[in-house]
Amino acid sequence: MNSKHQYVELNDGNFIPALGFGTYKPQEVPNSKTTEATKRAIEAGFRHIDSAYVYQVEEEVGLAIRSKIADGTVKREDIFYTSKLWCTFFRPELVQSCLERSLKKLHLDYVDLYLIHFPVPMKPGEELYPRDENGKLIYDSVDLCAVWDAMEKCKDAGLAKSIGVSNFNRRQLEMILNKPGLRYKPVECHIYHNQRKLLDFCKSKDIVLVAYSALGTQRDKQWVDQSSPVLLDDPVLGALAKKHKRSSALIALRYQLQRGVVVLAQSFKESEIKENIQVFDFQLSAEDMKDLDGLNRNFRYVTMKL
């Protein structure tokens, strides 16, 4: 394990780097930018790479990882790679095929973490967002516990070292945890805002929380209301940035780490990628943390309006 990094132990004995690099990109950004940015992230010291089938960049991410393995920067075991099961593959017989598609694109033998992306089953097929003639999404009825059974089989097969969930609420998490015959607890849950109650619940169940959109997202028009507040412009963040002689982005990332949350940072700019890795070089005081806790408006940048 790289001593430069903080690691968090998962409930299955595996370890996840506390800071991750997110690879989601808005549609207008060319895929080639993902390869460049991921290479830069690995060069800067990121070892946790977060992606997903639906991002449609896994070939580019895989290329970046393999090139950094080939030039001796890292070994495969240094990289913690996360992928996610998309909603059109929720039928138990399709779950492993989604993971196998990701692995084929990545040219990897396994992922370190595989997550159920959203608790929303959709009609199976090649369309990522199947819609009817009125443009409404076509959902499917699949029991999430049956999906979890299939996720456990992916772990048994050695295709995923750890398994977890994303965008689940407490009720949905409890449904999995209380499932008869549960063999593996979810190791992790991805979240998108200061969900204190969910954080406390997950800690009590030994489940690690991972925060995405910790910097307020890239404001992709497809997902984010353009009139929503710009997180990094917040005056409280700005004042703390001045106090610590750091950027607002670093204060926001550090806040999550000190709450015991694994955090994903995302950027295509080399300067920001290099800056984000410096999150381990300073500490926020208890008073700073209290000020930042006070910012919680239960605001979601990413809403599932498809």
Side-chain angles (χ1 to χ4, degrees), residues 263-282:
V263 67
L264 300 177
Q266 193 168 19
S267 178
F268 291 103
K269 293 180 185 164
E270 189 170 6
S271 58
E272 289 176 355
I273 291 169
K274 284 179 174 170
E275 179 190 77
N276 288 341
I277 202 85
Q278 294 164 17
V279 72
F280 302 112
D281 299 348
F282 72 103

Side-chain angles (χ1 to χ4, degrees), residues 61-224:
V61 173
L63 184 64
I65 292 170
R66 293 195 319 280
S67 80
K68 290 289 107 191
I69 291 171
D71 72 10
T73 305
V74 287
K75 299 185 179 80
R76 168 64 186 96
E77 57 271 25
D78 297 331
I79 295 291
F80 187 100
Y81 182 81
T82 300
S83 189
K84 306 180 194 80
L85 173 74
W86 185 237
C87 307
T88 52
F89 290 88
F90 274 21
R91 292 191 184 175
E93 67 275 15
L94 298 178
V95 169
Q96 188 168 315
S97 71
C98 185
L99 175 49
E100 285 168 346
R101 285 185 187 205
S102 286
L103 290 171
K104 195 176 174 184
K105 287 177 182 176
L106 291 157
H107 294 271
L108 296 178
D109 298 327
Y110 66 90
V111 299
D112 296 273
L113 178 61
Y114 200 47
L115 305 175
I116 299 175
H117 203 151
F118 282 101
V120 183
M122 292 188 214
K123 181 192 164 193
E126 291 306 311
E127 282 180 78
L128 293 174
Y129 300 100
R131 296 181 189 276
D132 63 19
E133 61 277 11
N134 301 313
K136 293 268 192 303
L137 273 178
I138 307 170
Y139 297 104
D140 199 15
S141 62
V142 183
D143 177 7
L144 287 175
C145 289
V147 183
W148 189 255
D149 278 339
M151 295 284 285
E152 290 184 326
K153 286 174 183 153
C154 291
K155 181 172 162 73
D156 288 338
L159 300 177
K161 293 207 164 179
S162 299
I163 50 177
V165 299
S166 175
N167 301 295
F168 275 46
N169 59 30
R170 178 176 172 159
R171 185 185 58 77
Q172 290 157 336
L173 254 180
E174 281 186 320
M175 196 166 71
I176 303 283
L177 291 170
N178 298 330
K179 184 181 91 65
L182 179 75
R183 292 185 300 121
Y184 304 119
K185 265 171 43 170
V187 297
E188 181 199 294
C189 182
H190 269 43
I191 58 158
Y192 28 43
H193 62 108
N194 181 357
Q195 298 182 348
R196 167 55 62 191
K197 284 181 182 164
L198 187 58
L199 176 58
D200 292 342
F201 172 72
C202 285
K203 280 184 173 174
S204 77
K205 300 293 180 186
D206 207 14
I207 294 169
V208 170
L209 272 187
V210 173
Y212 68 84
S213 300
L215 303 179
T217 84
Q218 297 177 55
R219 305 184 72 78
D220 184 354
K221 290 184 178 75
Q222 188 187 350
W223 302 101
V224 178

